[in-house]
Amino acid sequence: MLRKLLFNTQVVLKQQPKLHHIRHLATPKILQLEQIHIDEAIKIEPTLSIYSPEIWRRAHETFQNHGLETGNFLRIVTGNPAILKRTPDKIISSLEIWRACQFGENLLHLLLTKYPELLDVSDHHQLLSHIGFLKSRVSTSKNVWKCLMNSPDLIAQSEECVEEKLNFIIDVMRIEVPELAKSAALTLSFEELRCRHEFLVRLGLFRPRPPKADPNEPTTNPKLYQITDTSEKSFATKICHVTLPEYEAFKDLYAKELEQKSRRKEQDELSDEDD
């Protein structure tokens, strides 16, 4: 189920300013769901207009009984309208699946309010297994939560894919977990992550720390979020101080270089077998 979950991080992030518009109508102090709140939500997400006031009331009461205020409820259903189709029992089941991750109620509410699509996860055992794997790599539940807040599509990535990127960030780039957790680095593909890192290294703008160096010692390297949480254009012009066409040319050349290395390795392995 996790792998099948359709989760486009960029689309979700683009929705955040839109969802901000309902905050003036739905602050945490408002306890009751009023028609004005529903009308405002429908303006933002017209597909919500098909649901009756009774369905709205029932869903709102379910979320409220589980600690989510009116403002959170409105942002959740605006971001994931299909939630209103669910019975109270199914909504509760979706919340309980995530409660088992043990982020704590406040952090969990922040996560689900920011990314309502996460409530579409239905495989309890697979989610807990994935969260357990992430915790084994980033040490704490709080760090897992931070990673998901920045890279919610981690839920839909295979362990092998995440492992490859984590190994590269920690072992090659020599980035510590606290800095990793503050970035969206794990949203990038491994190929893009490696390419950006290599470009900086060849420009002399990034030098990985020595293995025994003090991680708290200041460095002139760009922060990980500056490397990964940017468009290609911003990465090229603001971080690398080159033009976008120059970075694009490097990407093409680097891909060919890696392909040639892979081909040579295969040839060497075949030669060894012949010997």
Side-chain angles (χ1 to χ4, degrees):
M1 171 60 197
L2 300 186
R3 234 66 84 221
K4 293 179 181 177
L5 186 64
L6 297 178
F7 209 101
N8 188 319
T9 308
Q10 295 306 314
V11 169
V12 172
L13 292 177
K14 285 178 183 176
Q15 288 178 343
Q16 300 306 311
K18 180 175 75 171
L19 302 185
H20 177 77
H21 294 313
I22 65 175
R23 290 180 185 175
H24 69 288
L25 291 175
T27 65
K29 294 180 181 178
I30 297 176
L31 298 179
Q32 299 303 317
L33 180 69
E34 305 291 347
Q35 187 61 44
I36 189 173
H37 304 142
I38 297 174
D39 292 342
E40 185 68 15
I42 290 171
K43 285 180 186 177
I44 296 168
E45 183 48 68
T47 60
L48 291 168
S49 63
I50 65 174
Y51 299 106
S52 68
E54 174 58 24
I55 288 176
W56 278 88
R57 184 200 63 76
R58 185 183 68 186
H60 173 254
E61 185 177 278
T62 303
F63 277 100
Q64 196 172 49
N65 287 342
H66 285 263
L68 286 117
E69 300 288 355
T70 300
N72 293 336
F73 165 72
L74 287 169
R75 285 190 283 276
I76 286 171
V77 298
T78 305
N80 190 356
I83 291 288
L84 288 184
K85 292 180 182 178
R86 300 180 192 176
T87 64
D89 284 346
K90 286 188 176 180
I91 291 173
I92 292 168
S93 176
S94 297
L95 292 170
E96 290 300 330
I97 285 172
W98 281 97
R99 275 204 178 99
C101 297
Q102 299 183 334
F103 296 140
E105 288 295 289
N106 290 338
L107 297 185
L108 178 59
H109 293 171
L110 287 172
L111 179 66
L112 297 179
T113 300
K114 188 174 183 181
Y115 303 116
E117 288 85 351
L118 292 176
L119 285 166
D120 292 342
V121 173
S122 60
D123 191 320
H124 176 267
H125 295 294
Q126 195 174 354
L127 176 62
L128 286 184
S129 174
H130 207 57
I131 295 297
F133 159 71
L134 291 172
K135 186 176 178 180
S136 74
R137 292 305 312 267
V138 299
S139 303
T140 67
S141 294
K142 182 71 173 288
N143 283 335
V144 174
W145 175 81
K146 287 179 180 179
C147 287
L148 289 175
M149 286 292 285
N150 287 306
S151 303
D153 57 330
L154 269 176
I155 291 303
Q157 296 180 31
S158 69
E159 289 186 6
E160 293 77 12
C161 174
V162 177
E163 182 89 16
E164 185 177 37
K165 288 185 280 189
L166 284 170
N167 288 343
F168 187 83
I169 292 167
I170 295 170
D171 298 336
V172 178
M173 298 181 75
R174 309 297 302 176
I175 301 292
E176 298 292 320
V177 167
E179 185 176 344
L180 161 66
K182 293 177 183 177
S183 78
L186 295 173
T187 294
L188 285 185
S189 68
F190 172 73
E191 290 75 19
E192 180 65 21
L193 177 65
R194 179 176 57 181
C195 186
R196 290 191 182 200
H197 168 74
E198 187 64 23
F199 192 52
L200 285 167
V201 168
R202 295 191 188 190
L203 288 173
L205 297 175
F206 192 99
R207 293 180 178 82
R209 296 177 187 272
K212 295 183 179 180
D214 180 357
N216 297 314
E217 189 177 332
T219 174
T220 58
N221 292 337
K223 293 291 186 183
L224 185 59
Y225 77 87
Q226 295 175 309
I227 298 170
T228 61
D229 301 16
T230 57
S231 66
E232 284 197 348
K233 183 176 181 180
S234 293
F235 171 70
T237 59
K238 296 180 180 179
I239 307 303
C240 302
H241 311 295
V242 300
T243 64
L244 177 58
E246 286 176 307
Y247 176 58
E248 290 174 333
F250 172 79
K251 282 184 70 174
D252 291 339
L253 291 170
Y254 187 51
K256 291 176 182 176
E257 179 184 321
L258 291 174
E259 187 179 344
Q260 289 172 352
K261 285 182 180 178
S262 178
R263 219 182 280 127
R264 282 198 298 268
K265 184 178 179 182
E266 288 177 6
Q267 291 171 349
D268 290 343
E269 288 174 352
L270 288 172
S271 297
D272 291 341
E273 288 177 8
D274 292 340
D275 292 343

